Coordinates of all heavy atoms in Angstrom, one line a residue:
M6 N -4.9 -15.5 24.9 CA -4.1 -16.0 23.9 C -3.1 -14.9 23.5 O -3.5 -13.8 23.3 CB -5.0 -16.4 22.7 CG -4.2 -17.1 21.6 SD -5.2 -17.7 20.2 CE -6.4 -18.7 21.0
A7 N -1.9 -15.2 23.3 CA -0.9 -14.3 23.0 C -1.0 -13.8 21.6 O -1.5 -14.5 20.7 CB 0.5 -14.8 23.2
A8 N -0.6 -12.5 21.3 CA -0.7 -12.0 19.9 C 0.2 -12.9 19.0 O 1.3 -13.3 19.4 CB -0.2 -10.6 19.9
G9 N -0.3 -13.2 17.8 CA 0.4 -14.0 16.9 C 0.3 -15.5 17.1 O 0.7 -16.2 16.2
S10 N -0.4 -15.9 18.1 CA -0.6 -17.4 18.3 C -2.0 -17.7 17.7 O -2.9 -16.9 17.6 CB -0.5 -17.7 19.8 OG -1.6 -17.1 20.5
Y11 N -2.1 -19.0 17.4 CA -3.3 -19.5 16.8 C -3.9 -20.6 17.6 O -3.2 -21.4 18.1 CB -3.0 -20.0 15.4 CG -2.5 -18.9 14.5 CD1 -1.2 -18.7 14.3 CD2 -3.4 -18.1 13.8 CE1 -0.7 -17.7 13.4 CE2 -3.0 -17.1 12.9 CZ -1.6 -16.9 12.8 OH -1.2 -16.0 11.9
A12 N -5.2 -20.7 17.7 CA -5.9 -21.7 18.3 C -6.2 -22.8 17.2 O -6.5 -22.5 16.1 CB -7.2 -21.2 18.9
W13 N -6.1 -24.1 17.7 CA -6.4 -25.1 16.7 C -7.9 -25.3 16.7 O -8.6 -25.3 17.7 CB -5.7 -26.4 17.2 CG -6.0 -27.6 16.3 CD1 -5.4 -27.9 15.1 CD2 -6.9 -28.6 16.6 NE1 -6.0 -29.0 14.6 CE2 -6.9 -29.5 15.5 CE3 -7.8 -28.9 17.6 CZ2 -7.7 -30.6 15.4 CZ3 -8.6 -30.0 17.5 CH2 -8.5 -30.9 16.4
M14 N -8.4 -25.4 15.4 CA -9.8 -25.6 15.2 C -9.9 -26.8 14.3 O -9.4 -26.7 13.1 CB -10.5 -24.4 14.6 CG -12.0 -24.5 14.5 SD -12.8 -23.1 13.9 CE -12.5 -21.9 15.2
P15 N -10.6 -27.9 14.7 CA -10.8 -29.0 13.8 C -11.6 -28.6 12.5 O -12.5 -27.8 12.6 CB -11.5 -30.0 14.6 CG -12.1 -29.3 15.8 CD -11.3 -28.0 16.0
V16 N -11.2 -29.2 11.4 CA -11.9 -29.0 10.2 C -12.5 -30.3 9.7 O -11.9 -31.3 9.6 CB -10.9 -28.5 9.1 CG1 -11.6 -28.3 7.8 CG2 -10.2 -27.2 9.6
S17 N -13.8 -30.2 9.4 CA -14.6 -31.3 8.9 C -15.0 -31.1 7.5 O -15.2 -30.0 7.1 CB -15.9 -31.5 9.8 OG -15.5 -31.9 11.1
C18 N -15.1 -32.2 6.8 CA -15.6 -32.2 5.4 C -16.9 -32.9 5.3 O -16.9 -34.1 5.8 CB -14.5 -32.8 4.5 SG -14.9 -32.7 2.8
V19 N -17.9 -32.4 4.7 CA -19.2 -33.0 4.5 C -19.7 -32.8 3.1 O -19.2 -32.0 2.4 CB -20.2 -32.4 5.5 CG1 -19.8 -32.6 7.0 CG2 -20.4 -30.9 5.2
N20 N -20.7 -33.7 2.8 CA -21.4 -33.5 1.5 C -20.7 -34.1 0.3 O -19.7 -33.6 -0.1 CB -21.8 -32.1 1.3 CG -23.0 -32.0 0.3 OD1 -23.6 -33.0 -0.1 ND2 -23.3 -30.8 -0.1
G21 N -21.3 -35.1 -0.2 CA -20.8 -35.6 -1.5 C -19.6 -36.5 -1.5 O -18.9 -36.7 -2.5
I22 N -19.3 -37.1 -0.3 CA -18.2 -38.0 -0.2 C -18.7 -39.4 -0.4 O -19.2 -40.0 0.6 CB -17.4 -37.8 1.0 CG1 -16.9 -36.3 1.1 CG2 -16.2 -38.8 1.1 CD1 -16.3 -35.9 2.3
Y23 N -18.7 -39.9 -1.6 CA -19.2 -41.3 -1.9 C -18.2 -42.3 -2.3 O -18.5 -43.4 -2.6 CB -20.3 -41.1 -3.0 CG -21.4 -40.2 -2.7 CD1 -21.7 -39.2 -3.5 CD2 -22.2 -40.3 -1.5 CE1 -22.8 -38.3 -3.2 CE2 -23.2 -39.4 -1.2 CZ -23.5 -38.4 -2.1 OH -24.5 -37.5 -1.8
E24 N -16.9 -41.8 -2.4 CA -15.9 -42.7 -2.8 C -14.9 -42.9 -1.7 O -14.4 -41.9 -1.2 CB -15.1 -42.1 -4.1 CG -16.0 -42.0 -5.3 CD -16.4 -43.3 -5.9 OE1 -15.8 -44.3 -5.6 OE2 -17.4 -43.3 -6.7
P25 N -14.5 -44.1 -1.4 CA -13.5 -44.3 -0.3 C -12.2 -43.6 -0.5 O -11.6 -43.1 0.3 CB -13.3 -45.8 -0.3 CG -14.6 -46.4 -0.8 CD -15.0 -45.4 -1.9
E26 N -11.8 -43.6 -1.8 CA -10.5 -43.0 -2.1 C -10.5 -41.5 -1.8 O -9.5 -40.9 -1.3 CB -10.2 -43.1 -3.7 CG -10.0 -44.5 -4.1 CD -11.4 -45.3 -4.3 OE1 -12.4 -44.7 -4.4 OE2 -11.3 -46.5 -4.4
L27 N -11.6 -40.8 -1.9 CA -11.7 -39.4 -1.6 C -11.6 -39.2 -0.1 O -10.8 -38.3 0.4 CB -13.0 -38.8 -2.2 CG -13.2 -37.3 -1.8 CD1 -12.0 -36.4 -2.3 CD2 -14.5 -36.8 -2.4
A28 N -12.3 -39.9 0.6 CA -12.3 -39.9 2.1 C -10.9 -40.1 2.6 O -10.3 -39.4 3.4 CB -13.2 -40.8 2.7
K29 N -10.2 -41.1 2.1 CA -8.9 -41.5 2.5 C -7.9 -40.4 2.1 O -7.0 -40.0 2.9 CB -8.5 -42.8 1.9 CG -7.3 -43.5 2.5 CD -7.2 -44.9 2.0 CE -6.2 -45.6 2.8 NZ -6.1 -47.1 2.5
Y30 N -8.0 -39.8 0.9 CA -7.1 -38.8 0.4 C -7.2 -37.5 1.3 O -6.2 -37.0 1.7 CB -7.5 -38.4 -1.0 CG -6.7 -37.3 -1.6 CD1 -5.5 -37.6 -2.1 CD2 -7.1 -36.0 -1.5 CE1 -4.7 -36.5 -2.7 CE2 -6.4 -34.9 -2.0 CZ -5.1 -35.2 -2.6 OH -4.4 -34.2 -3.1
L31 N -8.4 -37.2 1.7 CA -8.6 -36.0 2.5 C -7.9 -36.1 3.9 O -7.3 -35.2 4.3 CB -10.1 -35.7 2.7 CG -10.8 -35.2 1.4 CD1 -12.3 -35.3 1.7 CD2 -10.4 -33.9 1.0
I32 N -8.0 -37.3 4.5 CA -7.4 -37.5 5.8 C -5.9 -37.7 5.7 O -5.2 -37.1 6.4 CB -8.1 -38.7 6.5 CG1 -9.5 -38.5 6.8 CG2 -7.3 -39.1 7.7 CD1 -9.8 -37.5 7.8
E33 N -5.5 -38.6 4.7 CA -4.1 -38.8 4.6 C -3.2 -37.6 4.2 O -2.1 -37.5 4.7 CB -3.8 -40.0 3.6 CG -4.2 -41.3 4.2 CD -4.0 -42.5 3.2 OE1 -3.8 -42.2 2.0 OE2 -4.1 -43.6 3.6
N34 N -3.8 -36.7 3.5 CA -3.1 -35.5 3.1 C -3.3 -34.3 4.0 O -3.0 -33.2 3.7 CB -3.4 -35.1 1.7 CG -2.9 -36.1 0.7 OD1 -1.6 -36.1 0.4 ND2 -3.7 -37.0 0.2
E35 N -3.9 -34.6 5.2 CA -4.2 -33.7 6.3 C -4.9 -32.4 5.8 O -4.6 -31.3 6.2 CB -2.8 -33.3 7.0 CG -2.2 -34.5 7.6 CD -0.9 -34.2 8.3 OE1 -0.4 -33.0 8.3 OE2 -0.3 -35.1 8.9
L36 N -5.8 -32.6 4.8 CA -6.6 -31.5 4.3 C -7.7 -31.2 5.3 O -8.3 -30.1 5.3 CB -7.1 -31.8 2.9 CG -6.0 -32.0 1.9 CD1 -6.6 -32.5 0.6 CD2 -5.3 -30.7 1.7
V37 N -8.2 -32.3 6.0 CA -9.3 -32.1 7.0 C -8.9 -33.0 8.2 O -8.1 -33.9 8.1 CB -10.6 -32.6 6.4 CG1 -11.0 -31.6 5.3 CG2 -10.6 -34.0 6.0
D38 N -9.6 -32.8 9.3 CA -9.4 -33.6 10.5 C -10.4 -34.7 10.5 O -10.1 -35.8 11.0 CB -9.6 -32.7 11.8 CG -8.5 -31.7 11.8 OD1 -7.3 -32.0 11.8 OD2 -8.8 -30.5 11.8
T39 N -11.6 -34.5 10.1 CA -12.7 -35.6 10.0 C -13.4 -35.4 8.7 O -13.5 -34.4 8.1 CB -13.7 -35.4 11.1 OG1 -14.5 -34.2 10.9 CG2 -13.1 -35.3 12.5
V40 N -13.9 -36.6 8.2 CA -14.7 -36.7 7.1 C -16.1 -37.2 7.6 O -16.2 -38.3 8.2 CB -14.2 -37.7 6.0 CG1 -15.1 -37.9 4.9 CG2 -12.8 -37.2 5.5
D41 N -17.1 -36.4 7.5 CA -18.4 -36.7 8.0 C -19.2 -37.4 6.9 O -19.5 -36.8 5.9 CB -19.1 -35.5 8.5 CG -18.3 -34.9 9.7 OD1 -17.6 -35.5 10.3 OD2 -18.5 -33.7 9.9
L42 N -19.6 -38.6 7.1 CA -20.3 -39.4 6.1 C -21.8 -39.6 6.5 O -22.1 -40.0 7.7 CB -19.7 -40.8 6.0 CG -18.2 -40.7 5.6 CD1 -17.6 -42.1 5.8 CD2 -17.9 -40.2 4.2
G43 N -22.7 -39.4 5.6 CA -24.1 -39.6 5.9 C -24.7 -40.6 5.0 O -24.9 -41.8 5.2
K44 N -24.9 -40.1 3.7 CA -25.6 -41.0 2.7 C -24.7 -42.2 2.4 O -25.2 -43.3 2.1 CB -25.8 -40.1 1.5 CG -26.9 -39.1 1.7 CD -27.1 -38.4 0.4 CE -28.1 -37.2 0.6 NZ -28.3 -36.5 -0.7
A45 N -23.4 -42.1 2.4 CA -22.5 -43.2 2.1 C -22.7 -44.3 3.1 O -22.7 -45.5 2.7 CB -21.0 -42.7 2.0
I46 N -22.8 -44.0 4.3 CA -23.0 -45.0 5.4 C -24.4 -45.5 5.3 O -24.7 -46.7 5.6 CB -22.8 -44.3 6.8 CG1 -21.4 -43.9 6.9 CG2 -23.2 -45.3 7.9 CD1 -20.3 -45.0 7.0
L47 N -25.5 -44.7 5.0 CA -26.8 -45.2 4.9 C -26.9 -46.2 3.7 O -27.6 -47.2 3.8 CB -27.8 -44.0 4.7 CG -28.1 -43.2 5.9 CD1 -28.9 -42.0 5.6 CD2 -28.7 -44.0 7.0
A48 N -26.2 -45.8 2.6 CA -26.2 -46.7 1.4 C -25.6 -48.0 1.8 O -26.1 -49.1 1.3 CB -25.6 -46.0 0.3
D49 N -24.5 -48.0 2.5 CA -23.8 -49.2 2.8 C -23.0 -49.0 4.1 O -22.0 -48.3 4.1 CB -22.9 -49.7 1.7 CG -22.4 -51.2 1.9 OD1 -22.5 -51.6 3.1 OD2 -22.0 -51.8 1.0
P50 N -23.4 -49.7 5.2 CA -22.6 -49.5 6.5 C -21.2 -50.0 6.4 O -20.4 -49.6 7.2 CB -23.4 -50.4 7.5 CG -24.8 -50.4 6.9 CD -24.6 -50.4 5.4
A51 N -20.8 -50.8 5.3 CA -19.5 -51.2 5.1 C -18.6 -50.2 4.4 O -17.4 -50.5 4.1 CB -19.5 -52.5 4.3
F52 N -19.1 -49.0 4.2 CA -18.3 -47.9 3.6 C -17.0 -47.7 4.3 O -16.0 -47.5 3.7 CB -19.1 -46.7 3.4 CG -18.4 -45.6 2.6 CD1 -18.4 -45.6 1.3 CD2 -17.7 -44.6 3.3 CE1 -17.8 -44.6 0.5 CE2 -17.0 -43.6 2.6 CZ -17.1 -43.6 1.2
C53 N -17.0 -47.6 5.6 CA -15.8 -47.3 6.4 C -14.8 -48.4 6.2 O -13.6 -48.1 6.1 CB -16.1 -47.2 7.8 SG -17.1 -45.7 8.2
E54 N -15.2 -49.7 6.1 CA -14.3 -50.8 5.8 C -13.7 -50.6 4.4 O -12.5 -50.9 4.2 CB -15.0 -52.1 5.9 CG -15.4 -52.5 7.4 CD -16.2 -53.7 7.4 OE1 -16.1 -54.6 6.6 OE2 -17.0 -53.8 8.4
A55 N -14.5 -50.1 3.5 CA -13.9 -49.9 2.2 C -12.9 -48.8 2.2 O -11.9 -48.9 1.5 CB -15.1 -49.5 1.2
V56 N -13.0 -47.8 3.0 CA -12.1 -46.7 3.1 C -10.8 -47.3 3.7 O -9.7 -47.0 3.3 CB -12.6 -45.5 4.1 CG1 -11.4 -44.5 4.4 CG2 -13.8 -44.9 3.4
L57 N -10.9 -48.0 4.8 CA -9.7 -48.5 5.5 C -9.1 -49.7 4.9 O -7.8 -49.8 4.9 CB -10.1 -49.0 7.0 CG -10.6 -47.8 7.9 CD1 -11.2 -48.4 9.2 CD2 -9.5 -46.8 8.1
N58 N -9.8 -50.6 4.3 CA -9.3 -51.9 3.8 C -9.4 -52.1 2.3 O -9.0 -53.1 1.7 CB -9.9 -53.1 4.5 CG -9.8 -52.9 6.0 OD1 -8.8 -52.5 6.5 ND2 -10.9 -53.3 6.7
G59 N -10.1 -51.2 1.6 CA -10.3 -51.4 0.2 C -11.3 -52.5 -0.2 O -11.3 -53.0 -1.3
T60 N -12.2 -52.8 0.7 CA -13.2 -53.9 0.5 C -14.3 -53.3 -0.4 O -14.6 -52.1 -0.4 CB -13.7 -54.4 1.8 OG1 -14.2 -53.3 2.6 CG2 -12.6 -55.1 2.6
P61 N -15.1 -54.2 -1.0 CA -16.2 -53.8 -1.8 C -17.3 -53.2 -1.0 O -17.5 -53.5 0.2 CB -16.7 -55.1 -2.5 CG -15.7 -56.1 -2.2 CD -14.8 -55.7 -1.1
F62 N -18.1 -52.3 -1.7 CA -19.2 -51.6 -1.0 C -20.2 -51.2 -2.1 O -19.9 -51.3 -3.3 CB -18.7 -50.4 -0.2 CG -18.4 -49.2 -1.1 CD1 -19.2 -48.2 -1.3 CD2 -17.1 -49.2 -1.8 CE1 -18.9 -47.1 -2.1 CE2 -16.8 -48.2 -2.6 CZ -17.6 -47.1 -2.8
V63 N -21.4 -50.9 -1.7 CA -22.4 -50.4 -2.6 C -22.5 -49.0 -2.5 O -22.7 -48.4 -1.4 CB -23.8 -51.0 -2.3 CG1 -24.9 -50.5 -3.1 CG2 -23.8 -52.6 -2.4
K64 N -22.3 -48.3 -3.6 CA -22.2 -46.8 -3.6 C -23.6 -46.2 -3.6 O -24.6 -46.7 -4.1 CB -21.5 -46.4 -4.9 CG -21.3 -44.9 -5.0 CD -20.5 -44.6 -6.3 CE -20.4 -43.1 -6.5 NZ -19.7 -42.7 -7.6
C65 N -23.7 -45.1 -2.9 CA -24.9 -44.2 -2.9 C -25.2 -43.9 -4.3 O -24.3 -43.5 -5.1 CB -24.6 -43.0 -2.1 SG -25.9 -41.7 -2.1
F66 N -26.5 -43.9 -4.7 CA -26.9 -43.6 -6.1 C -27.0 -42.1 -6.3 O -27.2 -41.6 -7.4 CB -28.3 -44.3 -6.3 CG -28.2 -45.7 -6.6 CD1 -27.5 -46.6 -5.8 CD2 -28.8 -46.3 -7.8 CE1 -27.5 -48.0 -6.0 CE2 -28.8 -47.6 -8.0 CZ -28.1 -48.5 -7.1
G67 N -26.9 -41.3 -5.2 CA -27.0 -39.9 -5.3 C -28.4 -39.4 -5.8 O -28.5 -38.4 -6.6
C68 N -29.4 -40.0 -5.3 CA -30.8 -39.6 -5.7 C -31.0 -38.1 -5.4 O -30.7 -37.7 -4.3 CB -31.8 -40.5 -5.0 SG -31.6 -42.2 -5.4
P69 N -31.5 -37.4 -6.4 CA -31.7 -35.9 -6.2 C -32.6 -35.5 -5.0 O -32.4 -34.5 -4.4 CB -32.2 -35.4 -7.5 CG -32.8 -36.7 -8.2 CD -32.0 -37.8 -7.7
N70 N -33.6 -36.3 -4.7 CA -34.4 -36.0 -3.6 C -34.4 -37.0 -2.5 O -35.4 -37.5 -1.9 CB -35.9 -35.9 -4.1 CG -36.0 -34.7 -5.0 OD1 -35.5 -33.6 -4.8 ND2 -36.7 -34.9 -6.1
C71 N -33.2 -37.4 -2.1 CA -33.0 -38.4 -1.1 C -33.6 -38.0 0.3 O -33.4 -36.9 0.8 CB -31.5 -38.7 -0.8 SG -31.2 -39.9 0.5
Q72 N -34.5 -38.8 0.8 CA -35.1 -38.6 2.0 C -34.9 -39.9 2.9 O -35.7 -40.0 3.9 CB -36.6 -38.3 1.9 CG -36.9 -37.0 1.1 CD -36.4 -35.8 1.8 OE1 -36.7 -35.6 3.0 NE2 -35.8 -34.9 1.1
Y73 N -34.0 -40.7 2.5 CA -33.8 -42.0 3.2 C -33.2 -41.8 4.6 O -32.4 -40.9 4.8 CB -32.9 -42.8 2.4 CG -32.6 -44.2 3.1 CD1 -33.7 -45.1 3.3 CD2 -31.4 -44.4 3.6 CE1 -33.4 -46.3 3.9 CE2 -31.2 -45.6 4.3 CZ -32.2 -46.5 4.4 OH -32.0 -47.7 5.1
G74 N -33.7 -42.6 5.5 CA -33.1 -42.6 6.8 C -33.7 -43.8 7.5 O -34.8 -44.4 7.0
P75 N -33.1 -44.2 8.6 CA -33.7 -45.4 9.3 C -35.1 -45.1 9.7 O -35.5 -44.0 10.1 CB -32.8 -45.5 10.6 CG -31.5 -44.8 10.1 CD -31.9 -43.8 9.2
G76 N -36.0 -46.1 9.5 CA -37.4 -45.9 9.9 C -38.3 -45.2 8.8 O -39.5 -45.0 9.0
M77 N -37.7 -44.9 7.7 CA -38.4 -44.2 6.6 C -39.2 -45.3 5.8 O -38.8 -46.4 5.7 CB -37.5 -43.5 5.6 CG -36.7 -42.4 6.2 SD -37.8 -41.1 6.8 CE -38.4 -40.4 5.3
P78 N -40.4 -44.9 5.3 CA -41.3 -45.9 4.6 C -40.7 -46.5 3.3 O -41.1 -47.5 2.9 CB -42.5 -45.2 4.4 CG -42.2 -43.7 4.4 CD -41.0 -43.6 5.3
H79 N -39.8 -45.8 2.6 CA -39.3 -46.3 1.4 C -37.9 -46.8 1.6 O -37.2 -46.6 2.6 CB -39.3 -45.2 0.3 CG -38.4 -44.1 0.5 ND1 -38.6 -43.1 1.5 CD2 -37.1 -43.8 0.1 CE1 -37.6 -42.3 1.5 NE2 -36.6 -42.7 0.7
K80 N -37.4 -47.5 0.6 CA -36.1 -48.1 0.6 C -35.1 -47.3 -0.3 O -35.5 -46.9 -1.4 CB -36.1 -49.5 0.2 CG -36.8 -50.5 1.2 CD -35.9 -51.6 1.5 CE -36.5 -52.5 2.5 NZ -35.7 -53.0 3.5
C81 N -33.9 -47.2 0.2 CA -32.8 -46.6 -0.6 C -32.5 -47.6 -1.7 O -32.3 -48.8 -1.4 CB -31.6 -46.4 0.3 SG -30.1 -45.9 -0.5
P82 N -32.3 -47.2 -2.9 CA -31.9 -48.1 -4.0 C -30.6 -48.9 -3.6 O -30.5 -50.0 -4.0 CB -31.7 -47.2 -5.2 CG -32.4 -46.0 -4.9 CD -32.4 -45.8 -3.4
A83 N -29.7 -48.2 -3.0 CA -28.4 -48.9 -2.6 C -28.7 -50.0 -1.6 O -28.1 -51.1 -1.6 CB -27.4 -47.9 -2.1
E84 N -29.6 -49.7 -0.7 CA -29.9 -50.8 0.3 C -30.6 -52.0 -0.4 O -30.3 -53.1 0.0 CB -30.9 -50.2 1.4 CG -31.2 -51.2 2.5 CD -32.2 -50.7 3.5 OE1 -32.9 -49.6 3.3 OE2 -32.4 -51.4 4.5
T85 N -31.4 -51.7 -1.3 CA -32.1 -52.8 -2.1 C -31.0 -53.6 -2.8 O -31.0 -54.8 -2.8 CB -33.1 -52.2 -3.1 OG1 -34.1 -51.5 -2.3 CG2 -33.8 -53.3 -3.9
K86 N -30.1 -52.9 -3.5 CA -29.0 -53.6 -4.2 C -28.1 -54.4 -3.2 O -27.7 -55.5 -3.5 CB -28.1 -52.6 -5.0 CG -27.0 -53.2 -5.8 CD -26.3 -52.2 -6.5 CE -25.1 -52.8 -7.3 NZ -24.4 -51.8 -8.1
R87 N -27.8 -53.8 -2.1 CA -27.0 -54.5 -1.1 C -27.7 -55.8 -0.6 O -27.0 -56.8 -0.3 CB -26.8 -53.5 0.1 CG -25.7 -54.0 1.0 CD -25.4 -52.9 2.0 NE -26.4 -52.8 3.0 CZ -27.1 -51.7 3.2 NH1 -27.0 -50.6 2.6 NH2 -28.1 -51.8 4.1
S88 N -29.0 -55.7 -0.4 CA -29.7 -56.9 0.1 C -29.7 -58.0 -0.9 O -30.1 -59.2 -0.5 CB -31.1 -56.5 0.6 OG -31.9 -56.1 -0.6
R89 N -29.5 -57.8 -2.2 CA -29.6 -58.8 -3.3 C -28.2 -59.5 -3.4 O -28.1 -60.5 -4.0 CB -29.9 -58.2 -4.6 CG -31.3 -57.7 -4.6 CD -31.7 -57.2 -6.0 NE -33.0 -56.6 -6.0 CZ -33.4 -55.7 -6.8 NH1 -32.6 -55.2 -7.8 NH2 -34.6 -55.2 -6.7
K90 N -27.2 -59.0 -2.7 CA -25.9 -59.6 -2.8 C -25.8 -61.0 -2.1 O -26.5 -61.3 -1.2 CB -24.8 -58.8 -2.1 CG -24.4 -57.6 -3.0 CD -23.3 -56.9 -2.2 CE -22.5 -56.1 -3.2 NZ -21.4 -55.4 -2.6

């Protein structure tokens, strides 16, 4: 690499992105290259549609000791709320 040149390195944003507006803002304003979603998607798989289309979704409750994941013995409160719709 020549002196003074820069290599492109993708920048990801993680942790605490539970609002579609925030995810969209970060990408549209080129603040990050990717937004990595974990709990938001576990809470409601329709979260990405909410980001892209503004559709309704069930928000992650932000439980302080979240251990939820596929195959876990307990249910996420957001999953329970989503199933009642």
Side-chain angles (χ1 to χ4, degrees):
M6 187 178 304
S10 64
Y11 297 93
W13 178 77
M14 184 177 296
V16 175
S17 293
C18 184
V19 300
N20 199 10
I22 300 172
Y23 304 124
E24 298 291 341
E26 296 81 13
L27 177 56
K29 197 169 190 173
Y30 177 85
L31 292 168
I32 296 291
E33 287 179 349
N34 289 285
E35 299 180 359
L36 298 172
V37 297
D38 298 300
T39 67
V40 174
D41 300 335
L42 305 167
K44 292 179 185 178
I46 297 290
L47 288 171
D49 193 341
F52 184 83
C53 292
E54 292 174 27
V56 172
L57 297 173
N58 306 320
T60 56
F62 73 102
V63 176
K64 184 177 176 182
C65 172
F66 284 51
C68 301
N70 295 316
C71 176
Q72 298 294 315
Y73 177 69
M77 295 300 288
H79 68 283
K80 290 231 180 222
C81 170
E84 182 182 13
T85 302
K86 182 177 179 180
R87 194 174 72 242
S88 67
R89 290 183 186 155
K90 281 185 163 182

